[in-house]
Amino acid sequence: MRFNLVGVMGFTLQTLTLWVLVRWAGASASVAVTVAVLAAVSHNFVWHERFTWRDLPREHRLKRWLSFHVSTGTVSIVTNVGVTLGVMSVTGLPVLPANIIAVAIGSFVNFWINDRLIFRPVPALEASADVRIPGNAP
């Protein structure tokens, strides 16, 4: 449920950003979708860290941030831009409804990546390697 709540908030941000960029800034569909996805990906990482998977160690946050943006960001941009433009060309739908379809398709892949790869608990051996006993040299 937490993952979905963060996803809905990110989707709302992405949709509003996309609408503003297309309607007010006159951006092309591919540029607007890319910028909107990057805004949502950044938003979602922060909320996943603070809400969805909040019990993970802070010292691994930078690694998770990089992994999240490389994996989820890349998948989101590729699926959102590719599917949105594909749906627009096949159906003639405007960019916003076409992007809603793209988000629905990409959300399943993104959940798996996040749950299994990015926000997984640190294995016991890796976590114990980070613990230093006072007085012992590394």
Side-chain angles (χ1 to χ4, degrees), residues 29-124:
S30 58
V31 169
V33 170
T34 301
V35 171
V37 167
L38 290 172
V41 167
S42 297
H43 165 276
N44 288 359
F45 178 80
V46 170
W47 280 101
H48 285 318
E49 278 288 316
R50 294 180 181 260
F51 181 65
T52 309
W53 289 282
R54 65 181 177 251
D55 296 332
L56 295 176
R58 297 180 87 177
E59 58 270 7
H60 299 283
R61 184 174 286 160
L62 178 60
K63 181 180 177 184
R64 285 192 301 271
W65 180 82
L66 288 170
S67 298
F68 185 80
H69 280 79
V70 167
S71 61
T72 301
T74 301
V75 167
S76 294
I77 290 170
V78 169
T79 58
N80 274 263
V81 172
V83 174
T84 299
L85 296 178
V87 168
M88 288 172 66
S89 69
V90 170
T91 66
L93 283 172
V95 67
L96 285 172
N99 190 245
I100 291 169
I101 293 168
V103 169
I105 291 169
S107 65
F108 296 105
V109 175
N110 280 331
F111 174 77
W112 186 87
I113 290 170
N114 283 289
D115 188 57
R116 301 291 185 236
L117 302 175
I118 309 302
F119 292 100
R120 65 182 167 78
V122 176

